[in-house]
Amino acid sequence: MRYYITRILRSCLTLIIVVTVVFLLMRLMPIEGYFGAGFDKLDEGQKIAKLQNLGLLDPWYKQLAKFYGDLAQGDLGESITYRPKVAITKILGDKLIVSLKFGVISLSLSLVLGLSLGVLMARSKGKAWDRIGTAYVVAANAIPAAIFYLLIQIYLSSFFNLPLLYDKGNLKSWILPILCLSLVNIAYYAMWIRRYMVDELNKDYIRLARAKGLRNKDIMVRHVMRNAFVPMAQYLPASILSTVSGSIYVEGLFSIPGSGGLLVTAIQRQDNTLVQALVLMYSSIGIFGLMLGDVMMALFDPRIKLSSGGGSR
Amino acid sequence: MKKVISLLLVVTMLFTACKSDQQPTDNSAPNNQNEFQQGQDVTEGGKYAEKQVYRYAYSEEATTLNYLTSATQVDQGIAAKTISTLVEYDKYGIIKPGLAEKWEVSDDGLTWTFNLRKGAMWVDYEGNEVAETTARDFVSAAQYLLTPSNESETANMFYSVIKNAQEYFSGEIDDFSEVGVKAIDDYTLEYTLKAPIPYFESMLTYVCFFPAYGPMLEEMGDQFGTSNTTMYFNGGFILTEFEPQAQKIYKKNPKYWDKENIFLEELNYKYNKESVALGGELYKRGEVTHVNIPVSNLDEWMNNPELKDMVRPDKLGNYSYFYVFNFKPGFSEENEPKNWEKAVNNLNFRNSIKYAFNRVAAMMTEDPYNPEYRIINTITPPNFVSQNGKDFTMTSKLSDVSNGKYYDEAEAKKFKEAAINELKEQGVTFPVKVVMPYNTGSSYWAQEAQVVKQGLETSLGTDYIQIVLLPHAPTGFLNGTRRAGNYGLMKVNWGPDYADPQTFTDPFKRDGNYNFPEYTTSVDENGKNIYEKYETLVNEAKSELIDLSRRYELFAEAEALLLENAFVLPYNVSGSEGYVVTLEHPFEIAYAPFGISNLTFKGQKLLAKPMNTEEFNKAQEEWKTQRASKLMEASK
């Protein structure tokens, strides 16, 4: 228990440092960025009125204090340039849900298909299935995603008569983007589960199990799968959580109104409040995702203990 | 293996079940517009499309719908379709009544009284009638605009002309009733100006003079226009759906006062970040009715006989692009600013570059099929404004410049020799370093800069000039280059703010941040400073408010002076979208020399098939001829 408490405290400290540094860096950006293309046509009075309104003319420590004050009350503020005067929570709420839906569906699909493929490959190591699977894994990793996304979009949509662009009312339009999002992940999971399983298969306890006369299927599912999944379990929570950040290219191609590329856009447009909120969110996801991963690992493998210092593994 | 397959099936079914709460919303809402169209041939014998629904994939989303604060054209384009203005432009660019049925101006030119039409209703996003548009809505909008905490980026346009408006904005007066905008009664609106402005009517088509329903503004405050539910509409279309980064859907407004001139039933805008890459495919599949063909894809369309027949150039825009010489160099010592200062003040030096500048070659990077189309010989683009039926660029001395010669290598060499002789005496060292920045965010510009560099260095020789290219990232581009004087020769641009030649003198104002011409030591044959001469002419023109022909002549003379002395090298007028495949008829909508009136879709019909280049050119010629005679008529 003590381990978790100190770990949470340390995570919070990291989070505060990250957010503060980003906050201060944003204050170093040139002021013209807050005005966009119309900057040349504004007069001094208008510029000052806006900067004053945004609180950007205050000293940095005052701005920082105000930011944490608002944050403590759960107020992330209003967007400045991305969608002026709209609450950040509203903007993020709309977008994250969309990305999360796509992310979780594609991740589940990748897990199911990837693990099945990996198990199949491990069981038929060196035979046809293994070779086909390996070819797929190599292809998925070697061909730049941008190319096969575009190919999938243009050719599969006309071949299967599917819509080119996402339309939230049309379920058919979900198929291609989910396929695009899953392809690489399937290969990733297949590759690792195969690797870990092959490792496990060569271990002594498997030989013992075989000698005991256990059925091959039981060995695979009860022993090999379970042990092979442990190293992958660690990254699972972080992967699930980070799907909220969306995919820049797939969302762009299929017109999905998710959060892909939102951080980049927000930085380019100098939308301080939005950048701060996103950094806060992504860093928390990163930090707490890893922590959950450790917990998961401990659950899957009773040999791993996080609380006592050293000696467990 | 069987197990794996059955597991997959189960999973698929689960997903389908999870997603079924996303069932499509019923799109079969009653289409009442169809009834009203029945019985008449909408296609006019096959010329126009049967289904008047405009569909477009856009990649740049509006940031706000608040037209009283935004200065961005994407945002203002929404207001143009949904909000009515006092006056409007017709398809030849002539002002005609809008919400104001008639208007008059007092003898001193200061008080403008507008009589509003009755029955122009505000409706909400569902089309429910809210209230009538009255003169008070213009006053409320003005007060909102002039409240600094609302951060309006167009307020300065308003307070540059309206009496006491700037004083109210800066807090010098608190009583809004002193500001020169008054509702005499519900249907009578009165503006009082600071000084007589001959182009005041044209300004009324810009967002800062748009009305907004007063009680709504008061209720919403800074949340006005953050979504389509926090504003009302009184224009040709209603924004029925607005999902940022997803879609915008406009429906024809059945309560619009001039609905007979709205032909499109629906405007359907679908967001797609990669619409430049996908646009062609979307058009071929019939998912959009308008698509822009970027230069990189142009060959694919032009080399295919079938596709070629659908592509046409877009109408020209009104942004002017020109190269300027910098008279107050702020670049680093290694590029020899002192040396540049001496060289740039020499007329022969500037002329040598002017005549060596092959604009057509440079334009090939942006328009390889018809580079001459966008090139102009003046700062003010042709067809911008006219007086007595005569285009501004054809007025007095400016007409010589318009018809003058630009690229001429023999001429360039002559000027070069003359410049070398004169400059050597002043101790100028050769080659003169010419700092030329470009924005790395624009691929055209990078190519164009290379072409210009090579062209100038080849015709003038690297022992005479050396072009130092200065690539700069898009972030803080203008602050790092033009505004800081960190250039010798640079392409800059200016878009007009109102329909008067004065607008194109603004970049050259004293203490501006374009090319700092007030620092010149260049003099004419009588020893008079060129910039002082220019300034005198401009001031004289600005104060000429009664005799507009004289006003135009003076402005023309001023612009001619800048060009004859090669302070500025005119380059091109914006080509709008460049090349398009579209069902829109380009010459049936309002023509406006500036601003957003050409974005209203009023009068727009969709053709049965897209115009090709020949048809476009023919239609353009017809339009030009008709326009010339209409302008003559209007000036009488």
Side-chain angles (χ1 to χ4, degrees), chain A residues 96 99-104 106-107 238-247 251 259:
Chain A
L96 298 185
S99 286
L100 194 65
K101 270 186 199 161
F102 272 94
V104 169
S106 88
L107 197 68
S239 315
I240 294 174
L241 288 175
S242 61
T243 56
V244 297
S245 63
S247 152
E251 289 184 0
S259 49

Side-chain angles (χ1 to χ4, degrees), chain B residues 469-484:
Chain B
L469 289 184
L470 187 75
H472 195 294
T475 312
F477 174 71
L478 288 176
N479 267 3
T481 56
R482 195 194 78 209
R483 293 180 192 133

Side-chain angles (χ1 to χ4, degrees), chain B residues 250-299:
Chain B
Y250 303 83
K251 291 259 160 71
K252 177 174 174 169
N253 180 358
K255 308 271 163 56
Y256 180 46
W257 62 267
D258 195 13
K259 60 174 179 284
E260 286 73 29
N261 283 311
I262 301 291
F263 303 101
L264 298 174
E265 300 298 335
E266 185 185 313
L267 312 174
N268 190 321
Y269 283 72
K270 184 129 180 113
Y271 178 77
N272 188 282
K273 209 173 170 188
E274 308 296 329
S275 65
V276 176
L278 291 176
E281 189 65 25
L282 286 169
Y283 185 85
K284 288 174 197 164
R285 294 191 191 188
E287 295 201 14
V288 295
T289 57
H290 176 111
V291 61
N292 158 243
I293 308 293
V295 176
S296 49
N297 295 359
L298 201 52
D299 285 341

Side-chain angles (χ1 to χ4, degrees), chain A residues 134-208:
Chain A
T134 310
Y136 167 66
V137 169
V138 170
N141 283 301
I143 303 173
I147 292 180
F148 64 75
Y149 288 166
L150 203 59
L151 293 178
I152 286 176
Q153 189 185 22
I154 301 224
Y155 292 106
L156 289 195
S157 67
S158 58
F159 193 74
F160 291 108
N161 200 16
L162 291 170
L164 204 58
L165 303 182
Y166 165 75
D167 172 0
K168 69 173 187 276
N170 184 354
L171 286 181
K172 276 189 188 170
S173 68
W174 290 62
I175 299 173
L176 291 181
I178 287 177
L179 183 68
C180 285
L181 286 169
S182 311
L183 275 183
V184 178
N185 276 337
I186 292 174
Y188 172 86
Y189 287 120
M191 183 174 74
W192 285 107
I193 199 75
R194 177 193 175 278
R195 200 217 113 158
Y196 289 128
M197 281 182 73
V198 170
D199 273 3
E200 293 294 322
L201 278 173
N202 292 332
K203 286 193 177 152
D204 288 342
Y205 75 96
I206 299 292
R207 241 181 273 168
L208 176 70

Side-chain angles (χ1 to χ4, degrees), chain B residues 301-466:
Chain B
W301 287 75
M302 287 299 195
N303 294 334
N304 179 329
E306 213 173 292
L307 296 180
K308 189 177 181 232
D309 207 35
M310 299 195 241
V311 188
R312 66 163 172 88
D314 199 3
K315 275 197 292 193
L316 293 173
N318 48 39
Y319 256 76
S320 182
Y321 291 79
F322 39 92
Y323 277 79
V324 287
F325 287 109
N326 178 14
F327 292 90
K328 191 194 172 196
F331 42 81
S332 61
E333 276 312 312
E334 60 174 331
N335 289 319
E336 302 159 6
K338 288 273 170 298
N339 203 42
W340 170 258
E341 222 171 285
K342 286 180 199 155
V344 77
N345 278 303
N346 182 292
L347 176 61
N348 288 322
F349 178 78
R350 295 195 303 270
N351 263 330
S352 68
I353 292 181
K354 171 182 167 181
Y355 284 102
F357 178 22
N358 186 346
R359 300 182 299 169
V360 176
M363 185 46 83
M364 290 288 281
T365 56
E366 250 184 286
D367 184 353
Y369 286 87
N370 189 8
E372 282 96 351
Y373 179 50
R374 300 181 205 175
I375 287 180
I376 54 174
N377 289 344
T378 44
I379 302 169
T380 310
N383 297 320
F384 172 59
V385 283
S386 62
Q387 197 52 241
N388 301 328
K390 195 199 279 175
D391 194 79
F392 174 70
T393 57
M394 286 298 158
T395 306
S396 70
K397 280 189 182 169
L398 202 53
S399 72
D400 299 340
V401 179
S402 287
N403 298 323
K405 208 171 174 187
Y406 270 84
Y407 175 54
D408 184 336
E409 291 210 21
E411 202 72 3
K413 290 220 167 71
K414 257 191 262 168
F415 283 114
K416 172 188 164 184
E417 297 310 320
I420 290 177
N421 289 336
E422 288 172 12
L423 289 175
K424 275 225 168 108
E425 274 174 37
Q426 296 173 32
V428 169
T429 51
F430 289 95
V432 176
K433 286 185 176 168
V434 186
V435 181
M436 195 166 84
Y438 64 87
N439 188 333
T440 52
S442 154
S443 57
Y444 301 136
W445 202 345
Q447 287 171 24
E448 183 187 305
Q450 291 290 347
V451 173
V452 172
K453 174 182 161 76
Q454 274 176 22
L456 289 180
E457 286 181 351
T458 315
S459 30
L460 293 172
T462 42
D463 50 345
Y464 177 65
I465 52 165
Q466 185 196 342

Side-chain angles (χ1 to χ4, degrees), chain A residues 109-121:
Chain A
L109 191 69
S110 322
L111 266 177
V112 173
L113 289 183
L115 294 187
S116 324
L117 180 65
V119 172
L120 192 66
M121 283 163 75

Side-chain angles (χ1 to χ4, degrees), chain B residues 547-610:
Chain B
D547 183 356
L548 292 188
S549 303
R550 171 94 185 115
R551 178 184 173 90
Y552 275 50
E553 271 167 31
L554 286 166
F555 275 122
E557 217 176 297
E559 184 168 324
L561 185 76
L562 274 193
L563 295 173
E564 280 165 357
N565 284 286
F567 273 48
V568 178
L569 311 178
Y571 183 47
N572 73 304
V573 57
S574 68
S576 303
E577 289 188 67
Y579 284 85
V580 288
V581 179
T582 176
L583 294 181
E584 284 156 69
H585 191 298
F587 300 106
E588 286 180 344
I589 53 162
Y591 175 77
F594 83 105
I596 53 172
S597 305
N598 48 2
L599 306 172
T600 59
F601 281 87
K602 192 168 172 174
Q604 184 79 69
K605 284 178 233 167
L606 294 184
L607 298 164
K609 67 173 197 59

